[in-house]
Amino acid sequence: MSTRHSILEQMTPEAREALLAHSRQVTFPAGTRIFKERQRAENFWIIECGAVDLDTHVPGRKNAVIDTLGYGDLLGWSWMFRPYTWHLGAVATHDVIALEFDASAVRDLCSENSDVGRSVSTAVAAVIADRLDATRTRLLDLFAPRGSATPLAHAR
């Protein structure tokens, strides 16, 4: 049984409705590279169906998969912070249906309505904390001696 919940569930109803007003449904066929590291982050997505691998470039090796996202997960947080460039890459591993958001419009919305801005920022901050922990754990799995990759969230 999945314990994942949509990032939208973490927001106040008012913030959720305001944010959804800036969304549109999109699809990505399996195998589609949605974005690459260091590209401009102009959109973000909430996955409704399918799976996306987050990866990072490792010189001299194939890209390392850091995390796999699915239902309800936020795909992309780099749109929220200057210089608005992706820190990881993303590839659809199964056909994806997602809600797409224009990052600039959402930043404007958050600036204009502090309640919405606070709700969105809090939800995105939680995602960032989880992704940093997942990245640390996965990189230790790949490159550190065995047994080094205890997730920080479990060590607390």
Side-chain angles (χ1 to χ4, degrees):
M1 181 167 86
S2 175
T3 58
R4 290 194 163 182
H5 300 283
S6 173
I7 187 174
L8 294 171
E9 294 172 17
Q10 300 173 34
M11 296 180 188
T12 64
E14 297 79 17
R16 182 173 43 250
E17 291 307 313
L19 186 63
L20 286 171
H22 292 277
S23 70
R24 68 182 187 105
Q25 194 173 68
V26 296
T27 60
F28 298 105
T32 301
R33 170 142 314 264
I34 300 168
F35 55 82
K36 294 180 183 179
E37 286 178 73
R38 311 224 191 297
Q39 281 183 327
R40 183 133 175 94
E42 297 176 343
N43 299 301
F44 65 96
W45 302 265
I46 296 176
I47 300 170
E48 295 185 312
C49 179
V52 175
D53 279 351
L54 296 177
D55 60 15
T56 189
H57 176 72
V58 179
R61 301 177 103 175
K62 70 178 193 166
N63 287 353
V65 174
I66 300 299
D67 203 356
T68 300
L69 308 180
Y71 165 77
D73 285 331
L74 174 69
L75 173 57
W77 55 263
S78 300
W79 61 273
M80 198 168 195
F81 305 100
R82 291 184 191 279
Y84 310 126
T85 56
W86 297 118
H87 291 84
L88 298 170
V91 176
T93 56
H94 295 88
D95 291 347
V96 171
I97 300 171
L99 293 176
E100 182 177 71
F101 299 84
D102 177 272
S104 179
V106 173
R107 285 193 302 268
D108 289 346
L109 171 67
C110 291
S111 292
E112 293 164 5
N113 185 322
S114 61
D115 290 337
V116 171
R118 189 170 26 264
S119 189
V120 171
S121 296
T122 299
V124 172
V127 169
I128 294 169
D130 287 345
R131 298 275 165 78
L132 288 173
D133 189 32
T135 301
R136 175 193 171 279
T137 301
R138 183 63 179 136
L139 290 175
L140 286 172
D141 281 345
L142 291 171
F143 302 112
R146 282 266 189 227
S148 301
T150 302
L152 291 178
H154 300 292
R156 292 183 191 130

